[in-house]
């Protein structure tokens, strides 16, 4: 397959580099500054599975020629509109667009722009970050990517996607329940984000503080109640894992949004928390803790803009 990876941050850079390392036909679509750096220095991955370096194909939007068979979207949610504009000329009749973004709002946005048939579901689980030199550091062995047809079918085209990812030396999973998987990833992300950003500490620190466990459980309940009102069919085992994860007193984990906040970076407040608040408001669900978390994040964003 002809694969276009949009973005080369910690997520896109890692999974795209793994595909390139496996010999897949991968091209990275990058903005000028990142494109220049990757063209010059390639992509360096520091991983518990072994460090490696690739010198991938890199282009900018003006150089795109298509169509591509698979477009892997790994931009931040606030970069989605620009990314859609960039890739539009190379989305052909048979192109699959696989977003690996946070939340659920992007699924509707992409479906409206390119048609539901073009869209396949995707999510990843990885703890990785970029350093000042643009190197990607995988901080734990976890490197899972999950994908599937929205219908749950095992079509010929999704089997080709599966074959490509299976070749890449990662934990690749073809899911027949990708919509449920996406809801549950959002439940985990929104809970982790609201807990760690509001309390300014990692999961273990919050859980160990007076009232911390109760706070974390209440955040999960608010998010879960909202998601169920919008179509999530609760899977008890998955929700239990989220509740366990957010109340682990020994957990050093934070959220990517918290890490971005502490470094003064832009955050996905609207997509991860704000969309939940908006949905709950529309149907009359009371979510005071998530509302407070969103207000806190909006204050951070406004202060950041003023600097």
């Amino acid at each position: 397959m002809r694969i276009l990876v949009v973005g080369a941050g910690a997520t896109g850079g890692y999974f795209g580099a793994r595909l390139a390392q496996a010999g897949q036909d991968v091209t990275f679509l990058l903005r000028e500054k990142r494109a220049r750096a990757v063209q010059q220095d390639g992509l360096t991955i520091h991983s518990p599975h072994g460090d490696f370096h690739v010198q991938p194909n890199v282009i900018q939007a003006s150089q795109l020629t298509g169509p591509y068979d698979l477009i892997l979207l790994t931009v931040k949610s606030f970069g989605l509109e620009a990314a859609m504009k960039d890739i539009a000329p190379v989305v052909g009749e048979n192109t699959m667009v696989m977003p690996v973004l946070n939340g659920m709002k992007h699924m509707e946005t992409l479906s409206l722009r390119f048609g539901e048939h073009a869209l396949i579901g995707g999510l990843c689980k990885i703890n990785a970050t970029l350093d000042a030199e643009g190197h990607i550091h995988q901080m734990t062995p976890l490197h899972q990517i999950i994908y599937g047809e929205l219908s749950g079918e095992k079509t010929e085209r999704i089997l080709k996607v599966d074959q490509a990812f299976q070749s890449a030396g990662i934990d690749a999973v073809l899911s027949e329940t990708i919509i449920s998987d996406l809801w549950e990833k959002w439940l985990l992300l929104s809970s982790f984000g609201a807990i760690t950003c509001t309390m300014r500490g990692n999961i273990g620190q919050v859980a160990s503080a007076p009232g911390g466990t109760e706070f974390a459980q209440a955040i999960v309940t608010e998010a879960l109640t909202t998601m169920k009102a919008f179509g999530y069919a609760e899977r008890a085992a998955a929700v239990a894992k989220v509740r366990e994860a957010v109340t682990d007193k020994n957990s050093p984990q934070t959220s990517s949004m918290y890490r971005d906040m502490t470094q003064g970076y832009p955050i996905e407040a609207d997509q991860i928390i704000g969309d939940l608040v908006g949905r709950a408001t529309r149907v009359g669900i009371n979510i005071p803790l998530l509302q407070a978390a969103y207000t806190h994040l909006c204050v951070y964003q406004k202060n950041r803009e003023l600097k």
Side-chain angles (χ1 to χ4, degrees), residues 187-210:
L187 178 63
L188 182 68
L189 278 178
S190 59
S191 298
F192 263 63
I195 293 164
T196 60
C197 291
T198 305
M199 294 300 174
R200 296 300 181 102
N202 66 39
I203 290 295
Q205 290 169 331
V206 176
S208 299

Side-chain angles (χ1 to χ4, degrees), residues 141 154 171:
K154 287 189 175 181
D171 181 8

Side-chain angles (χ1 to χ4, degrees), residues 14 35-36 73 78 106 178 198 202 231 234 250 259 267 269:
Y14 182 83
R36 191 164 57 245
L73 276 175
F78 43 73
H106 64 277
I178 194 66
T198 305
N202 66 39
E234 181 179 350
N250 296 313
R259 294 192 294 272
I267 57 173

